[in-house]
Amino acid sequence: QVQLVESGGGLVQAGGSLRLSCAASGRTFNFGAMGWFRQAPGKEREFVATITWRGGSAFYADSVKGRFTISRDNAKNTVYLQMNSLKPEDTAVYYCARRPGGASVRDGEYEYWGQGTQVTVSS
């Protein structure tokens, strides 16, 4: 079993920055890809970013490419999402997730999920 706890969400003005953290505990954190997803009110959950277990490769949704950066520190069992140049359309609950295999953009392939952290971007 893996427990994931997100933090770092909040209210920020458009153009601002936030850094989300996802702390993992339980079974081995290192051997698994991590992903960030988000869900806005009335919309389906969507992929944001994913990173391989060694951190060597990362993939992003087109909507966040160039603005968001995913990273991980396996020694701290933590994955991060640095979000810059935030836009009102980035407003959503952000979830981190883990899967035992390689990186994936499909939320159905992730096994463990955090409870989410709210990000609100005002215009």
Side-chain angles (χ1 to χ4, degrees), residues 2-5 22-27 29 34 76-79 98:
V2 174
Q3 293 79 41
L4 303 173
V5 179
C22 173
S25 60
R27 293 184 63 185
F29 168 77
M34 297 295 297
K76 295 182 178 180
N77 290 345
T78 301
V79 64
R98 177 188 178 275

Side-chain angles (χ1 to χ4, degrees), residues 35-118:
W36 284 98
F37 294 79
R38 66 187 182 186
Q39 187 167 22
K43 295 187 177 181
E44 293 187 353
R45 185 167 57 193
E46 65 175 0
F47 165 75
V48 175
T50 183
I51 188 168
T52 55
W53 76 269
R54 284 181 172 152
S57 296
F59 306 93
Y60 299 90
D62 288 343
S63 59
V64 307
K65 203 171 293 183
R67 300 187 298 122
F68 291 10
T69 302
I70 188 172
S71 62
R72 66 189 294 168
D73 185 340
N74 288 344
K76 295 182 178 180
N77 290 345
T78 301
V79 64
Y80 305 96
L81 185 68
Q82 178 66 44
M83 305 186 296
N84 299 329
S85 302
L86 282 161
K87 304 175 181 180
E89 51 263 45
D90 294 318
T91 296
V93 177
Y94 283 71
Y95 299 90
C96 69
R98 177 188 178 275
R99 69 183 303 268
S104 173
V105 304
R106 299 183 178 89
D107 60 353
E109 295 185 358
Y110 285 78
E111 187 175 8
Y112 298 103
W113 292 82
Q115 83 290 346
T117 186
Q118 176 71 47

